[in-house]
Amino acid sequence: MSQRSDLRRRRAALEDEWSRWVPRQGGAVRSPAGGETLRPEVTESWVRSLSSVDPGRDSAPVSDGGMVHHRWAGSPLRGPVDASADELHSIAEDAGFVTAVTDECGTILWTCGGRTMQRRAERVNFAPGGRWDEEAMGTNALSLALRTGRPSTIFSAEHLVTALHGWVCYCAPIRDPGGRILGVLDLSTTWDRSHPLAMSTVRTLVSTIETRLRAEPPGPRGTGGVRLRCLGSQEAVRDGTPLPLRPRQLEILTLLALEPDGFPPERLREALYGGRPVTASTFKAEISHLRRALSGGIATRRYALTTPVACDAVDLLRALESGDTAAALRHYRGPLLPRSEAPGIVEWRGQLEVAVREAVLASARPEHALRYGERAPYDAEVHQHALRLLGRTDARRALAAGRLSTALRDD
């Protein structure tokens, strides 16, 4: 039997399983124990996805109105992917694939491929700005690779969304030298082009990109490459190398990242020092040091960033603004610059803490309250919210009940 016939039989079997287990009009999904064609990670993802994704949707939702070029410019993946671009283009065009790179939350930042395949991909918003995390687009290879941290393949009707049943996708996570997932690399094509060697190709490409991440020299690239981590930590890195910034300069960089329109000098000075008597020369010296570290990067009259800076707090804000609570919780690793007492930072810290908490309390998904509860052990209201959402037979109730007991005892 030919490979095409094998693929056709497999696709038909998966479509049959999909129609048995996935509701078409919002009914409850049944336990998918029994389909020999189905893999456990697929059906488990179906069950999780159906609370937030309509299987009949026609395309992925958009992040930032599709305008993600600034995020790609500041991504640590930009340089290694650019260095691999010729190879990525060649593979995509010669084999009839679309190649995509996402950020750590599953938003596509870069794609390449032949004109015909890219047009097909754009119809489902498999394009820069498209959100392919599980909560946004259900079961797909990108979301599984991010969730499990392992390479993933999704074929035809293994996708939750019917608009993707004509596709096969191969993904693997890309990790920085410390092991943190920065995003995924995906090769996608039509189901009839499925090939057993495609996954090994993805693994090889990811290995090349990760090698370039380790080998990339420090210092500025023309595209920027600065990443600021200020939630639960305080560090700025460029191309994997920490920038030598003092706490005050990290405060300035954080404020400029959070307020892209910038600050008049006096307002920024007040946000940093409040009413403390600090000389103008001291304030300007901090700005000058930060400007040198960024190889320029800060406008002179009205202080604002003129170089791309990717910032976890800004990513958190975007997730909150788009109503993506799951992504917000992935970004929220703790308070903003927790050791800072600068008035502007304290104000932003409070705003972000309140916004994340309110998003969790407004969510109907118990995993959001459980995840936030890890960072808020004494927040009884959050633990009560988790208990209200969890079914009586859900084993996670014991965890939420234990946290609530501790919070009430220590109140």
Side-chain angles (χ1 to χ4, degrees):
M1 184 177 294
S2 69
Q3 180 184 346
R4 180 68 62 87
S5 297
D6 286 342
L7 291 174
R8 191 174 289 112
R9 284 168 58 89
R10 184 184 176 202
R11 187 183 191 219
L14 286 169
E15 289 283 7
D16 181 62
E17 295 286 3
W18 188 95
S19 64
R20 290 176 58 203
W21 301 120
V22 178
R24 294 183 182 275
Q25 297 295 332
V29 67
R30 293 183 293 163
S31 173
E36 294 181 359
T37 309
L38 298 172
R39 294 178 287 150
E41 62 264 34
V42 170
T43 54
E44 290 166 6
S45 177
W46 284 355
V47 172
R48 290 192 302 267
S49 302
L50 281 166
S51 64
S52 62
V53 178
D54 176 5
R57 71 172 308 146
D58 58 5
S59 62
V62 176
S63 176
D64 292 347
M67 302 299 290
V68 293
H69 60 277
H70 58 292
R71 292 165 66 180
W72 181 232
S75 170
L77 294 175
R78 171 76 183 263
V81 170
D82 282 351
S84 306
D86 288 345
E87 186 178 7
L88 294 169
H89 278 279
S90 176
I91 290 171
E93 293 175 7
D94 292 348
F97 282 85
V98 174
T99 302
V101 176
T102 77
D103 65 10
E104 71 275 16
C105 295
T107 296
I108 294 177
L109 300 180
W110 180 90
T111 61
C112 73
R115 184 176 302 175
T116 299
M117 288 304 297
Q118 282 209 292
R119 278 203 299 263
R120 288 184 179 180
E122 286 166 0
R123 291 175 195 151
V124 292
N125 200 24
F126 193 79
R131 281 184 51 206
W132 288 79
D133 55 284
E134 191 174 81
E135 188 167 341
M137 204 54 181
T139 308
N140 65 84
L142 296 89
S143 66
L144 275 184
L146 284 172
R147 185 177 184 89
T148 65
R150 301 189 301 272
S152 175
T153 302
I154 293 292
F155 176 80
S156 185
E158 289 181 321
H159 290 97
L160 177 77
V161 174
T162 54
L164 306 178
H165 286 190
W167 290 85
V168 60
C169 305
Y170 306 88
C171 269
I174 307 170
R175 299 178 184 273
D176 69 11
R180 184 173 65 95
I181 294 177
L182 301 176
V184 299
L185 175 71
D186 175 280
L187 290 180
S188 292
T189 189
T190 53
W191 67 269
D192 54 316
R193 292 174 181 261
S194 179
H195 197 284
L197 294 180
M199 180 54 79
S200 64
T201 301
V202 170
R203 290 174 182 267
T204 299
L205 291 169
V206 166
S207 179
T208 299
I209 291 170
E210 290 179 339
T211 298
R212 286 176 169 147
L213 274 168
R214 291 192 295 271
E216 202 165 75
R221 296 192 308 259
T223 55
V226 176
R227 179 79 195 181
L228 172 62
R229 301 185 185 99
C230 50
L231 294 174
S233 61
Q234 45 187 47
E235 180 186 36
V237 299
R238 181 165 48 203
D239 307 331
T241 301
L243 289 174
L245 300 180
R246 295 191 291 266
R248 186 66 73 194
Q249 291 141 21
L250 284 165
E251 291 170 346
I252 297 170
L253 185 57
T254 299
L255 289 169
L256 294 179
L258 285 166
E259 302 198 31
D261 291 337
F263 292 80
E266 282 305 314
R267 182 168 167 254
L268 180 57
R269 184 174 171 178
E270 182 179 349
L272 290 170
Y273 304 106
R276 291 173 52 200
V278 175
T279 65
S281 60
T282 298
F283 170 55
K284 290 180 179 179
E286 301 285 10
I287 298 288
S288 296
H289 184 100
L290 178 59
R291 186 179 285 117
R292 285 194 300 274
L294 297 177
S295 302
I298 301 177
T300 53
R301 293 180 179 271
R302 181 182 179 90
Y303 295 131
L305 291 173
T306 60
T307 192
V309 173
C311 174
D312 55 359
V314 175
D315 293 339
L316 169 63
L317 276 176
R318 292 195 184 107
L320 290 168
E321 289 166 357
S322 65
D324 188 351
T325 303
L329 288 170
R330 284 196 295 272
H331 290 302
Y332 190 69
R333 298 182 178 89
L336 183 73
L337 295 181
R339 294 193 290 272
S340 173
E341 297 179 359
I345 296 295
V346 171
E347 182 178 350
W348 268 108
R349 184 189 299 149
Q351 289 181 28
L352 294 175
E353 289 176 347
V354 169
V356 172
R357 184 176 185 273
E358 289 302 310
V360 167
L361 292 175
S363 171
R365 301 188 66 169
E367 56 266 32
H368 293 163
L370 288 170
R371 182 161 184 171
Y372 182 80
E374 295 175 6
R375 299 192 178 280
Y378 303 112
D379 195 326
E381 187 177 359
V382 168
H383 307 321
Q384 289 169 340
H385 182 59
L387 283 170
R388 283 194 295 269
L389 296 175
L390 290 165
R392 295 200 172 274
T393 60
D394 195 312
R396 294 174 296 176
R397 286 186 64 87
L399 176 61
R403 290 173 177 172
L404 177 60
S405 176
T406 299
L408 293 175
R409 183 174 64 247
D410 295 338
D411 189 5

